[in-house]
Each structure stands twice: as C-alpha cells, then as structure tokens.
Amino acid sequence: GAVVSQHPSWVICKSGTSVKIECRSLDFQATTMFWYRQFPKQSLMLMATSNEGSKATYEQGVEKDKFLINHASLTLSTLTVTSAHPEDSSFYICSGRGQGIYNEQFFGPGTRLTVL
Amino acid sequence: SQQGEEDPQALSIQEGENATMNCSYKTSINNLQWYRQNSGRGLVHLILIRSNEREKHSGRLRVTLDTSKKSSSLLITASRAADTASYFCATDEGDFVFGPGTRLSVLP
C-alpha cells in the first residue's frame, strides 16, 4: 500500500505553546487528508477532513481555532495544536486518500503529543 | 460518515487458538478495511476487502464480507502472543470512521 509519514512521531511541550504536526503522502497524491485523535484505550475519532486547497471541515465538538489544519499541497497537510493544554495530550493520526475509485485511505504512524 | 462496530469488544484466547472478530456497519460501502493497533502505537493495515468480494486471505488472516447483512468478520488462525492488540474495522462513505475496536489478548 501507499505510504504516509508523520513528523514528529512524539512531542512533549509546555502548556500554552503551539505544536505543529506534519503529514506527508510519500508516493501518492492525497486529494483528501483526514486527522484523527485517539485517547488511551479508545478508538480513533475523526477530527477534521481537508481537501487540497480548501478549508478543512471539522467534526462537531472540534474547535477549528484550536486545531488549525492546512492542506496546501497534494502531499502535505499540517495540524497545529494552538495553546496546547494537558487535556490535548493524545495520539494524533493522519491519513491520506487519493483519487482511486475504491476510496482507499492510508494512515500515518501517528504522533503522540504530551502537554505538560 | 458511518461507523463500523466491532464485536466482541474484548477477547482472550490461548496461543494456538483461532480468534474471530466481527464488524457491522449501517449503509452501503465501497470497501472495508481491518487494522491492528498495538498499545500506544500506530495503525497497521491488515487487509482491505472490496464490496464485490466475499472472502479474502492474507497469511493467517481471513476476512469475509456479507454486504446483505452489512457485516464482516476477521479470523486469525493459530494465534500467537504477538497478535495481542486492538483490531479495528473501518468502512468508507466519503470518509472512514472507526468502530470501537476489539481488544484481543493471546495468552502464552
């Protein structure tokens, strides 16, 4: 399958700072990218969907001003957690979907964010 | 978007036994995927089955899809301790939404 990378794989930051997470599709063009969040022992929850060149669509309950998503190219999307707080500590996973007819979606390895 | 729902939510078996997990969904799909996640780690793609397929094999994994019942099953044969993980199914309807997962524990 196609490869999606995330950077960094883990990050520790102080409360109040902002953290940027990058998601790259390495061998395909991801016209749509998704960002998920996963709390311990829970399933992944979709946060937002972004199409290249458009504003992201956020799921209910996800603050768009706190979780800034940029999908400026077909191979890169970024998630910035602004003014992070300890409750934002979580596992963030991105995925990319190309234009194949079967809607195949490929996931990154995830980024573990710890806010002190 | 729609959610896959896995069943059971937790399963404990002895090494060497087979493990079967089920997933149900609500509306029509193009494909269904199964993923594994070890504790605190990222997702590992296991297998994708398309809506026009009924069964698919990959090593010790066997996935079935019954679109009339809107359900899929994942069978892991001859389980190993390393198979201990959470297993998720994900369907598509514009985007993927994961079910709660099945936590599989394989005891040595």
Side-chain angles (χ1 to χ4, degrees):
Chain A
V3 179
V4 172
S5 70
Q6 280 185 240
H7 178 80
S9 55
W10 59 271
V11 57
I12 300 173
C13 69
K14 292 183 179 180
S15 186
T17 61
S18 294
V19 175
K20 180 184 283 189
I21 302 170
E22 291 186 350
C23 176
R24 293 182 184 274
S25 58
L26 300 184
D27 54 359
F28 71 104
Q29 293 185 326
T31 51
T32 304
M33 282 190 169
F34 305 92
W35 286 94
Y36 296 84
R37 179 170 55 185
Q38 184 184 38
F39 292 107
K41 297 185 179 180
Q42 295 186 28
S43 185
L44 280 76
M45 296 301 295
L46 179 66
M47 298 175 66
T49 302
S50 72
N51 292 298
E52 185 262 338
S54 302
K55 289 184 178 180
T57 301
Y58 291 80
E59 295 297 302
Q60 193 172 10
V62 178
E63 300 175 58
K64 62 180 182 180
D65 294 330
K66 183 171 184 60
F67 298 99
L68 302 179
I69 291 171
N70 183 283
H71 189 174
S73 78
L74 290 171
T75 59
L76 174 65
S77 176
T78 60
L79 167 68
T80 301
V81 183
T82 62
S83 187
H85 289 95
E87 57 266 29
D88 298 324
S89 297
S90 188
F91 196 52
Y92 292 87
I93 298 177
C94 74
S95 69
R97 186 177 71 195
Q99 290 181 310
I101 61 173
Y102 290 109
N103 276 350
E104 291 185 14
Q105 187 177 141
F106 301 98
F107 287 81
T111 296
R112 180 161 300 285
L113 170 63
T114 301
V115 184
L116 302 176
Chain B
S1 63
Q2 64 170 327
Q3 187 172 34
E5 294 284 340
E6 295 88 357
D7 167 49
Q9 292 201 352
L11 179 63
S12 289
I13 59 174
Q14 293 293 133
E15 205 165 25
E17 294 180 339
N18 295 342
T20 300
M21 289 160 273
N22 302 300
C23 167
S24 61
Y25 55 93
K26 294 182 172 61
T27 61
S28 62
I29 62 172
N30 289 315
N31 61 72
L32 183 144
Q33 299 188 43
W34 283 91
Y35 288 84
R36 182 184 70 210
Q37 185 182 35
N38 290 73
S39 180
R41 306 289 293 273
L43 294 169
V44 174
H45 179 262
L46 295 177
I47 200 164
L48 178 149
I49 186 165
R50 303 196 195 285
S51 58
N52 61 353
E53 297 175 313
R54 291 297 169 258
E55 187 171 311
K56 205 162 182 179
H57 297 257
S58 177
R60 292 184 296 111
L61 305 179
R62 172 175 168 254
V63 169
T64 62
L65 179 65
D66 187 335
T67 53
S68 65
K69 295 181 179 178
K70 293 184 171 54
S71 67
S72 173
S73 68
L74 170 67
L75 168 67
I76 304 175
T77 60
S79 64
R80 305 167 182 169
D83 294 329
T84 295
S86 289
Y87 291 83
F88 297 92
C89 72
T91 62
D92 72 291
E93 192 183 46
D95 60 70
F96 279 83
V97 180
F98 283 82
T102 294
R103 292 187 303 280
L104 174 66
S105 298
V106 181
L107 308 174

